[in-house]
Amino acid sequence: MAQEDDSYELEVGPSQYIALEYPGYIRNVQKAIHTLGGEEGLAAAGDADGGFIKLSFRPDEPLAHPIYGERQPYSALLLRISRPRGQPAQDPKLQIVGTVSSAVCFHGLADFQYLPIGSTHTTRDYSNSPLANLPEKAEPSGAAEPLLCVPPLFSKNDVPFDYAYKQHHHKSR
């Protein structure tokens, strides 16, 4: 480091990183990686230029609606700040690990989420049903099966926008 007139010159290593702005609190890193498609999903997002990454808050649920993150140019430094445990009075050590050249940002809103009816909710009251509609006659398996409908999307846009609503004033005659 060379100091002249309150300015510093630092040498930054050649390592480049991609930042990811996760839209939630991460308590378990492995679960967070699983919601992003696992290590394969993260690797694919790192390889593609300007690509999208899919985040599903419930990745094991096929009916869950994902949100998409877009990779954008970014300019930042990645710092490692460390301090020995049990010594809060000691100054922290700062180390520049590398540069951040792009970031994945999730600007979209999550749509309403649906859960399919589980096996505990499959019992229905068929006492008033016609004989042809009983599960023994209507269902191919001969037993009551859950009704699995594909959930609708509430919004075709996942990024909020301004409607610019204006009240129309009618002229009085």
Side-chain angles (χ1 to χ4, degrees):
M1 281 192 286
Q3 182 180 4
E4 55 184 309
D5 301 330
D6 293 337
S7 63
Y8 290 94
E9 189 175 308
L10 299 173
E11 189 162 324
V12 179
S15 300
Q16 288 195 353
Y17 296 91
I18 298 173
L20 186 120
E21 296 179 2
Y22 192 86
Y25 295 109
I26 297 177
R27 292 191 179 128
N28 185 337
V29 175
Q30 292 303 320
K31 284 184 181 178
I33 291 173
H34 184 60
T35 61
L36 293 164
E39 292 179 5
E40 298 84 19
L42 289 175
D47 292 341
D49 290 327
F52 292 93
I53 185 169
K54 182 169 76 169
L55 180 138
S56 179
F57 289 108
R58 291 181 286 121
D60 298 327
E61 185 63 49
L63 299 178
H65 296 243
I67 61 174
Y68 294 93
E70 184 178 6
R71 191 167 162 186
Q72 300 171 346
Y74 201 71
S75 179
L77 294 175
L78 180 62
L79 300 176
R80 176 178 289 144
I81 303 172
S82 61
R83 180 185 342 214
R85 291 183 187 238
Q87 299 177 6
Q90 190 174 2
D91 289 336
K93 287 191 214 175
L94 297 174
Q95 177 186 1
I96 298 175
V97 178
T99 60
V100 178
S101 59
S102 63
V104 177
C105 303
F106 294 89
H107 295 294
L109 299 173
D111 203 353
F112 287 92
Q113 304 288 312
Y114 284 89
L115 290 174
I117 298 173
S119 60
T120 59
H121 298 95
T122 57
T123 57
R124 301 182 215 155
D125 181 23
Y126 294 103
S127 60
N128 295 331
S129 298
L131 186 61
N133 290 345
L134 291 176
E136 297 84 30
K137 302 284 185 185
E139 301 286 348
S141 64
E145 296 192 15
L147 181 62
L148 296 176
C149 297
V150 176
L153 290 173
F154 278 91
S155 175
K156 63 181 179 179
N157 301 323
D158 65 343
V159 178
F161 61 94
D162 186 16
Y163 279 102
Y165 177 77
K166 293 181 183 177
Q167 182 70 34
H168 293 292
H169 296 287
H170 298 289
K171 293 181 181 178
S172 58
R173 295 181 187 196

